[in-house]
Amino acid sequence: MLSHKALAGAGVAAGPYRPTNTRRRAPGIVTAVAARRPSKAAAAAGTAAPPAPTTPDQGSAVQPASPLAESRDLEYNGFRSTRRTKLIATIGPACDDEATLEALAVGGMNVARLNLAHGTHEYHRGVVERIRKLNKEKGFSVAIMMDTEGSEVHINDLPGPIKAEKGQEFTFTVRAPAQCTGDCFSVSYEAFAEDTQPGDMLVVDGGMVSLEVVSKAGPDVVARVVDPGLILSRANLVFRRGGRTVRARNAHLPVISTKDWRDIDLAIETGVDFISLSFVKSADPIRNLRSYIESRAPRRIEVIAKIESQDALPNVAEIVAAADGVMVARGDLGAQVPFENVPSIQKEVVMRCRQAGKPVIVAAHLLQSMHTLPTPTRAEVSDIADCVRQQADALMLCGETAAGAYPLKSLEVLRSVATRIEEWMREEKHGQISLPPIGDGQDARVSEQLCAAAAMTADALGARAVLCFTRRGYMPGYLSRCRPDAPIFAFTDKQETRQMLNLRWGVSPFRMDFSADSAEDSIRRAFKLLRARNLVSPGDLVVVVTDVRSELDGVADTVRSVQVRHCS
C-alpha cells in the first residue's frame, strides 16, 4: 500500500482539515443527552452504537481495546481524504485493469459506475470482482453503481466510433443491425420512421453530432450531418422539430425495458450498492424497482433516479421524494430541453435534494475536452466550481474516464478543483440554505434535530471533526444534509453501509467492529484509527454523536447524545 507521504505527493489531501477558529481547551468531556426512546426507535433511526459509555461518575474504568481489534481497524480502512464532494468515475476500456482501478481509488474515486448500455454481463462481473478485490486487499471502500440503459431511442451496436463529416449523409433504419452496411445505423425504436419528418433535426448523444432529416423511404430515414463529430455505439438519439423535442409514440416507451430488467438482475446478483434508473418520468418506476429489489436482494441497494428527460421535469418533487438519490444527467437532458435551461434545472434539483436529505449527483460534460486533451478548458473548471458551490453530493465523470485518453488526469482535475473550492466556501460561508424538517415520525425527527445540533455545535466551536457510529447509515445522512465545516467520520460494522455512505457529501466512512462491552472503547479505537491516518491529533476538539441502547429498570431504552470532547 502506498504511504501517506506518497499519497500526498500524488495530490491526495494528506492532512486533516484544520479550521481557522479552533481553540485549545482543557481536556474533558461534555455530554448533552438529547432523548430517550425504546430500543425499537434505534432501528427506525438507522444507527446503533455499543452500550452506554462508562463515565467516571459510574466508578468503573474503561478497558483498553485489544491489539487484535486495533489491527483489524487499520486493515479494514485504507487511506482517505477529508474532501467533502464525492467523485464518481465511469469504468470502461480506458481504466478497467487492476492497476488503473487502484490508481483511481488512490486518486479519490469514491464510486465506480458501470454503464450497462455498453459491455457484456461477463465484462461487468469482472470489473465488480476487481473492485471488490481492491477494497478487500487495500482497505478501500469504493462503492459500485450500475446504470441502466433505459428504453429511450438509441443507435444499436456499432463496431467502433464513426466519424461524421459535415454534409455527409447517413441512413437510420429499424432494420436489424446485420442488414446495415456502409453509412447505415440501426435504431432501437420501431416507430422511428413514422415519428420523424423531413426537416427534423436528429441530435446524437446529447449534441455530439446533429443531422437534418432530408428524406424517408419505408423503414429508412436519410439525414445529412449539420454539426460533425463522432457517433458512438448505442448513442442516445433525440429528434427535434421547430426547436422542440418531438414526443410522439416514443413518449410512451416504458422506463424499464426488458433488457433493463436483465441488467437489474445482474446488479442484484453481484450485490452492487446503487442502481441508477435512466429516463425516469415519474415516481412509479422507482417504487416498482425498489419493490423488486426488496423481494430479491439479500441486502439494501439504493435507487438513484436520473433526471435526463423533458417528461421528468413536471414531476421532480415526487421523483426526489421516492428515490434514494438523484442524478442530474445533463448530457441527455440538454438534448431534450433548451440548453440555456439546464443550469436552472440543475440548481433546482440540487436544492430540492439538499432540502430532502437525498444525495444528488451532477453528471456529464464536466471535463468533455479531456477526452482528447491533457488539460481542461477554463470554462470547464468554472462549471465544476459552480457544482461544488451548489454543494452537490457528488460529481460524475463519464467518457472522460471510461474511454478518454487521460482518465487519471481527469479525476485529478476534478479532485483538485473540488478541494480548492470547498476551502474557499468554508472561508466565505457560501451555500447556506433553509432546511425544512424531513423526519418521518417522532424518532426520526429526534435523530434529525440531534444531528442538526451536532453540526451547529461543531461549526460554532470550530471542531476538527464530527464522529458518528452507525449500522444502517441514516445518522451520517442527517449530518451530511447540514453540510458542517468539519469532516464527518462515520464508523460502521457493515461494509455495505460503508460503501453506500461513499455517496454522501462530507462523510468519510470507516469499517470497524463495535465493542460489545463499552461504547467508550469504540470511541477510543475510533480516535486511535483517525490518529493513525493523520486525520486528527491528540487534544483536537471533536463532536461525537451516539445512539446508545441501554436498559433502565428492566425496560429497553435508547439514549441519543452529542458529546463535545478532546481526542485522546
Side-chain angles (χ1 to χ4, degrees):
M1 187 180 298
L2 292 175
S3 68
H4 187 74
K5 183 176 180 181
L7 288 164
V12 180
Y17 162 60
R18 299 180 178 272
T20 55
N21 61 339
T22 300
R23 296 188 182 94
R24 293 285 183 186
R25 288 175 172 80
I29 301 175
V30 179
T31 302
V33 178
R36 302 177 73 92
R37 281 289 177 265
S39 59
K40 195 173 181 180
T47 64
T54 304
T55 66
D57 294 338
Q58 294 171 306
S60 56
V62 177
Q63 297 299 318
S66 70
L68 178 60
E70 293 174 355
S71 175
R72 281 200 304 265
D73 294 343
L74 290 171
E75 179 184 345
Y76 288 153
N77 301 282
F79 175 83
R80 64 203 60 255
S81 76
T82 56
R83 171 180 30 79
R84 314 303 195 267
T85 307
K86 301 306 176 74
L87 308 183
I88 304 174
T90 301
I91 307 304
C95 63
D96 59 5
D97 61 283
E98 287 189 18
T100 308
L101 287 173
E102 181 174 355
L104 288 171
V106 170
M109 175 178 68
N110 301 107
V111 181
R113 170 187 177 246
L114 299 177
N115 186 356
L116 295 173
H118 305 281
T120 64
H121 282 192
E122 289 70 25
Y123 172 83
H124 293 301
R125 282 194 188 94
V127 174
V128 170
E129 289 172 3
R130 289 192 287 277
I131 294 172
R132 294 267 165 75
K133 180 182 177 184
L134 177 68
N135 285 345
K136 183 176 181 180
E137 294 182 355
K138 304 294 184 179
F140 290 105
S141 60
V142 176
I144 301 173
M145 174 188 294
M146 283 193 176
D147 197 326
T148 65
E149 181 176 23
S151 56
E152 289 291 294
V153 183
H154 61 265
I155 294 170
N156 288 320
D157 289 320
L158 298 174
I162 304 296
K163 189 174 183 180
E165 303 284 1
K166 186 176 179 65
Q168 187 176 2
E169 291 189 354
F170 291 92
T171 299
F172 294 82
T173 182
V174 297
R175 302 178 196 272
Q179 296 179 268
C180 291
T181 57
D183 296 337
C184 177
F185 301 113
S186 172
V187 298
S188 64
Y189 175 46
E190 292 184 357
F192 182 78
E194 287 84 348
D195 278 1
T196 56
Q197 297 178 6
D200 287 352
M201 293 297 296
L202 303 183
V203 182
V204 180
D205 204 11
M208 293 300 98
V209 179
S210 296
L211 309 94
E212 182 181 2
V213 176
V214 295
S215 64
K216 298 196 304 181
D220 302 332
V221 175
V222 178
R224 183 180 297 118
V225 175
V226 176
D227 298 318
L230 284 178
I231 299 177
L232 304 178
S233 181
R234 307 195 74 79
N236 182 251
L237 197 59
V238 174
F239 32 105
R240 290 177 175 169
R241 186 175 303 144
R244 294 177 177 271
T245 302
V246 176
R247 302 302 285 163
R249 277 179 285 181
N250 60 328
H252 303 291
L253 291 171
V255 171
I256 307 178
S257 68
T258 302
K259 177 184 180 298
D260 289 338
W261 284 117
R262 292 195 297 268
D263 291 340
I264 288 166
D265 285 338
L266 172 68
I268 294 173
E269 173 199 328
T270 54
V272 302
D273 303 286
F274 308 99
I275 296 175
S276 52
L277 192 57
S278 297
F279 296 102
V280 170
K281 302 173 185 177
S282 67
D284 289 339
I286 301 170
R287 299 189 188 104
N288 187 21
L289 176 56
R290 179 176 289 110
S291 176
Y292 184 79
I293 292 171
E294 289 174 350
S295 68
R296 291 173 176 259
R299 52 153 297 186
R300 181 181 172 194
I301 299 176
E302 294 196 334
V303 178
I304 307 297
K306 294 177 67 176
I307 304 294
E308 55 185 337
S309 72
Q310 182 177 324
D311 299 325
L313 300 183
N315 304 313
V316 166
E318 69 173 56
I319 290 171
V320 171
D324 295 304
V326 175
M327 181 190 299
V328 185
R330 304 183 303 179
D332 289 319
L333 181 63
Q336 295 207 8
V337 303
F339 56 78
E340 62 269 21
N341 291 348
V342 172
S344 60
I345 294 170
Q346 172 185 313
K347 188 171 184 179
E348 178 188 355
V349 174
V350 170
M351 184 183 69
R352 283 183 180 274
C353 288
R354 284 194 56 195
Q355 290 177 330
K358 304 290 182 72
V360 57
I361 304 162
V362 177
H365 298 175
L366 288 168
L367 291 169
Q368 188 71 16
S369 69
M370 292 191 72
H371 276 79
T372 55
L373 300 174
T375 57
T377 67
R378 303 312 176 256
E380 288 170 337
V381 171
S382 295
D383 178 37
I384 295 170
D386 187 53
C387 296
V388 176
R389 282 196 296 268
Q390 292 175 23
Q391 293 190 315
D393 289 82
L395 304 180
M396 189 173 92
L397 296 174
C398 300
E400 299 96 329
T401 52
Y406 304 97
L408 296 176
K409 282 191 175 182
S410 297
L411 186 68
E412 180 184 354
V413 169
L414 194 62
R415 184 192 69 240
S416 61
V417 174
T419 301
R420 179 63 192 97
I421 298 303
E422 287 172 358
E423 292 172 354
W424 172 74
M425 288 179 60
R426 286 193 290 271
E427 295 164 1
E428 301 296 329
K429 294 296 180 186
H430 285 262
Q432 303 299 320
I433 66 171
S434 175
L435 298 176
I438 60 171
D440 183 14
Q442 186 180 40
D443 294 315
R445 288 196 297 272
V446 169
S447 297
E448 179 186 342
Q449 292 301 317
L450 184 76
C451 290
M456 290 179 61
T457 301
D459 286 348
L461 298 178
R464 180 64 51 81
V466 180
L467 277 63
C468 180
F469 296 85
T470 182
R471 284 203 166 95
R472 297 179 60 193
Y474 289 119
M475 288 285 254
Y478 285 131
L479 286 166
S480 171
R481 178 178 182 248
C482 298
R483 301 297 197 260
D485 286 343
I488 303 162
F489 298 131
F491 295 86
T492 178
D493 60 351
K494 298 182 181 297
Q495 179 67 14
E496 294 86 357
T497 300
R498 181 188 178 205
Q499 289 166 191
M500 284 193 291
L501 287 173
N502 247 333
L503 192 57
R504 289 288 188 173
W505 185 99
V507 178
S508 294
F510 291 82
R511 164 80 167 84
M512 188 177 77
D513 293 329
F514 294 147
S515 299
D517 300 325
S518 168
E520 184 65 19
D521 178 54
S522 291
I523 294 172
R524 288 177 182 272
R525 283 169 51 208
F527 285 163
K528 187 164 186 175
L529 174 59
L530 294 176
R531 291 199 313 272
R533 295 296 179 228
N534 199 29
L535 296 171
V536 297
S537 301
D540 284 346
L541 190 72
V542 297
V543 175
V544 180
V545 181
T546 62
D547 187 349
V548 180
R549 292 173 182 169
S550 61
E551 192 169 297
L552 183 64
D553 298 330
V555 179
D557 196 13
T558 298
V559 180
R560 300 181 179 91
S561 69
V562 177
Q563 301 178 21
V564 181
R565 56 191 296 169
H566 289 85
C567 182
S568 57

